[in-house]
Amino acid sequence: MTKQYLDVIFTPPPTPNGGLHVGHLSGPYLRADLNRRLLEAVGSPAVHASHIDSYQTYVARKARQFGKDTYEFRDEMSALIRSDFRRFGVHFDQVVDNTADDYRKYLASGLIELFGNARAIRLPEFVAEDTRYGAVESFVSGTCPNCLQRAYINVCEQCGNPMDLPRALSPVEESTGCTEFSEIDDSPLPTVLVIDDQDVSWLQGWHLEVDSDNPALVKFIDELEPSRVTLTFRSDYGYEVAPGRVVNPWFDIFFAHCYAVGQALGLPTDISFAEFRRELAAAETRPCVTYYFGFDNSYYYSVLFPLLARILDVPRMIPTTLKANRFLRINGSKVSSSRGNVVWAHDLAWRYSTMSLRGALARVSPELAELDFREDMLTQPSSWPSPSVSARPIFDNPATLTGKNFRATLERMACPDRFSVAELLSRIDNAVTFAESEHAYGAERVELMGMVAHLRAVLEI
């Protein structure tokens, strides 16, 4: 399979305020990793890219709770996250260090352009008793007017809708318990990015053309309304853009995506954003961007990031495929570390093999619906043949018509717009069932079992 484009698959950068849990891994990370591995198996070039979300205010908040230095805590949790990924076999081809000097200079150059855009405006911002911090992110919580879920100010983690302070019900400053807020108008930089009716119209039109396999996401975009996204805010932790002021880390995430694409295409590490834009437009290899993400982050991946790509004139960063998953459940409730309903990745990794972990979580990957995880799933034996790297010649060049059809199905399924973990497992199950049935003749049986054995080795499930 040859092509003049490169599939670049992005997953959300985890926040280093703790390790990963099974909800994280069963959703975007395992889905993207399996997609990337299947693409590689059928000979299609692809890159799985991500980074660690170093600048979130939740890092400082959690560090204070543990009485630790914020930067030491961030580094400790980043190491734990990387270890969790390794133990679950999730591999990244491109990892951006958003704390590196070259990247920070690149980010600064991109933010200068963004701050100069007509949509970036300066408005008074809300503060409560502790005026060092804006009424956003982990500093303030409120009840979402859309779904009535309690969430931090920015975007509701339950329904994905934007929620600034004026929209929130019963907002409270987390550190003081204060419920009285006032406006301050002293920012030297834009405070919000405006998404207006024309932007909404463009997004809804674009979404009709983009590949999306989640009906809830289609509904989310169809009901989209104009909004304002916090661009910079008062804080003593984050990527500082002025004394006591940081940029909303979700904007950093978009720029990190661009930087990762540049690195995948072999561009210098000390590139500016303007240079990246020119090089990307001229590149012979076109990146096709796929976003894997949890539904709670739909606003960022299906609204903010595509719009930023349009605003900043990098059309090749507009995603071609959106893969939003629902939430994993334990004991009938959504996985949530804040509510104590959680199974941590590192608690499982030392007791079970990587293949057992990946295989069980693949079975309950909540692609389109919320599914339940039970630890006893990890001890259920697989009916598939044992993994075999020596079976690759059979997989690459099947001789029987059945084997050729199976291979062709996998090639089609590997395309991100068509990829589904559930469908992949179903096809493999069916191949094994057919191979073990009386309807398969000898050569078919041997070939299909060999192909599945190779797939197990490649996918590690």
Side-chain angles (χ1 to χ4, degrees):
M1 182 182 295
T2 60
K3 56 186 180 183
Q4 295 301 312
Y5 62 88
L6 174 70
D7 279 308
V8 183
I9 297 170
F10 286 103
T11 45
T15 302
N17 61 342
L20 301 176
H21 55 61
V22 292
H24 293 134
L25 288 159
S26 66
Y29 299 118
L30 185 57
R31 293 178 73 200
D33 185 77
L34 290 172
N35 193 175
R36 163 68 177 80
R37 288 176 183 236
L38 185 59
L39 282 164
E40 181 180 39
V42 300
S44 185
V47 168
H48 182 189
S50 192
H51 64 288
I52 290 180
D53 193 7
S54 304
Y55 299 124
Q56 288 281 2
T57 62
Y58 303 97
V59 179
R61 172 183 169 84
K62 185 65 72 171
R64 283 194 296 268
Q65 290 178 357
F66 285 111
K68 294 188 175 184
D69 174 79
T70 299
Y71 295 94
E72 290 180 1
F73 176 73
R74 181 191 71 187
D75 293 344
E76 178 185 342
M77 292 301 101
S78 296
L80 177 58
I81 288 169
R82 286 191 287 268
S83 174
D84 289 341
F85 279 136
R86 285 195 300 271
R87 291 181 178 186
F88 277 73
V90 176
H91 171 72
F92 298 99
D93 305 284
Q94 198 62 243
V95 179
V96 172
D97 179 0
N98 64 345
T99 67
D101 289 342
D102 278 349
Y103 174 81
R104 287 171 64 89
K105 292 176 183 175
Y106 151 88
L107 176 59
S109 69
L111 289 175
I112 288 172
E113 287 195 31
L114 182 59
F115 292 161
N117 189 273
R119 291 177 179 82
I121 63 174
R122 186 173 67 84
L123 292 178
E125 54 193 328
F126 290 95
V127 295
E129 185 176 322
D130 193 342
T131 58
R132 295 174 300 171
Y133 306 108
V136 293
E137 290 281 315
S138 67
F139 304 128
V140 178
S141 62
T143 298
C144 174
N146 183 62
C147 69
L148 301 182
Q149 170 78 24
R150 198 71 184 172
Y152 293 111
I153 299 300
N154 212 353
V155 166
C156 175
E157 67 174 17
Q158 180 67 27
C159 67
N161 282 279
M163 184 176 71
D164 56 14
L165 191 80
R167 296 187 189 190
L169 306 176
S170 305
V172 176
E173 185 173 50
E174 287 290 304
S175 61
T176 66
C178 180
T179 59
E180 299 292 330
F181 295 86
S182 58
E183 288 184 314
I184 292 181
D185 189 7
D186 63 356
S187 173
L189 293 170
T191 57
V192 299
L193 184 79
V194 176
I195 298 179
D196 60 21
D197 286 311
Q198 289 185 337
D199 294 325
V200 169
S201 178
W202 177 81
L203 284 162
Q204 291 174 335
W206 159 75
H207 201 262
L208 294 174
E209 301 176 0
V210 74
D211 294 304
S212 175
D213 60 359
N214 194 309
L217 184 62
V218 174
K219 182 175 182 291
F220 177 82
I221 296 296
D222 186 57
E223 296 176 352
L224 191 66
E225 296 179 352
S227 57
R228 292 171 178 170
V229 188
T230 298
L231 181 51
T232 68
F233 57 90
R234 303 161 75 93
S235 178
D236 55 8
Y237 179 78
Y239 180 82
E240 191 174 69
V241 288
R245 177 165 293 276
V246 301
V247 70
N248 182 338
W250 284 97
F251 289 91
D252 160 57
I253 292 173
F254 171 77
F255 283 107
H257 287 168
C258 296
Y259 193 79
V261 167
Q263 295 306 290
L265 295 177
L267 302 184
T269 59
D270 61 350
I271 199 168
S272 70
F273 182 74
E275 291 168 334
F276 160 77
R277 178 170 48 234
R278 288 195 297 269
E279 293 291 340
L280 181 64
E284 292 184 2
T285 299
R286 180 194 171 197
C288 288
V289 173
T290 294
Y291 284 145
Y292 276 92
F293 54 95
F295 185 76
D296 52 335
N297 288 327
S298 294
Y299 184 78
Y300 299 115
Y301 287 93
S302 63
V303 177
L304 180 62
F305 294 167
L307 189 59
L308 285 175
R310 185 171 184 247
I311 289 172
L312 295 169
D313 194 26
V314 280
R316 289 187 171 184
M317 289 302 303
I318 297 175
T320 57
T321 305
L322 300 172
K323 311 285 278 190
N325 62 262
R326 300 301 294 183
F327 307 120
L328 190 68
R329 301 174 75 90
I330 298 175
N331 299 321
S333 298
K334 176 191 170 186
V335 173
S336 171
S337 56
S338 63
R339 295 174 176 81
N341 192 46
V342 64
V343 176
W344 295 106
H346 59 265
D347 287 340
L348 295 177
W350 66 275
R351 289 187 283 131
Y352 301 98
S353 70
T354 298
M355 186 162 288
S356 295
L357 294 167
R358 290 170 61 89
L361 289 181
R363 293 287 179 183
V364 293
S365 181
E367 294 181 294
L368 300 179
E370 296 184 355
L371 300 179
D372 278 277
F373 170 78
R374 303 185 317 276
E375 190 170 336
D376 62 9
M377 295 174 174
L378 297 168
T379 59
Q380 296 175 6
S382 173
S383 62
W384 298 348
S386 299
S388 172
V389 293
S390 63
R392 178 170 180 175
I394 297 175
F395 180 87
D396 286 344
N397 296 288
T400 69
L401 179 60
T402 302
K404 291 178 186 293
N405 286 339
F406 184 45
R407 166 75 188 213
T409 295
L410 293 171
E411 288 184 4
R412 290 192 298 271
M413 188 178 296
C415 298
D417 61 316
R418 297 172 177 163
F419 181 77
S420 161
V421 176
E423 283 295 319
L424 174 62
L425 299 184
S426 176
R427 296 304 173 91
I428 296 175
D429 282 339
N430 291 343
V432 172
T433 299
F434 176 75
E436 293 176 338
S437 75
E438 61 183 17
H439 303 292
Y441 62 87
E444 285 179 321
R445 182 174 298 110
V446 171
E447 190 166 80
L448 285 176
M449 290 302 230
M451 294 176 76
V452 171
H454 176 67
L455 270 178
R456 288 201 70 190
V458 169
L459 302 176
E460 213 169 352
I461 56 175

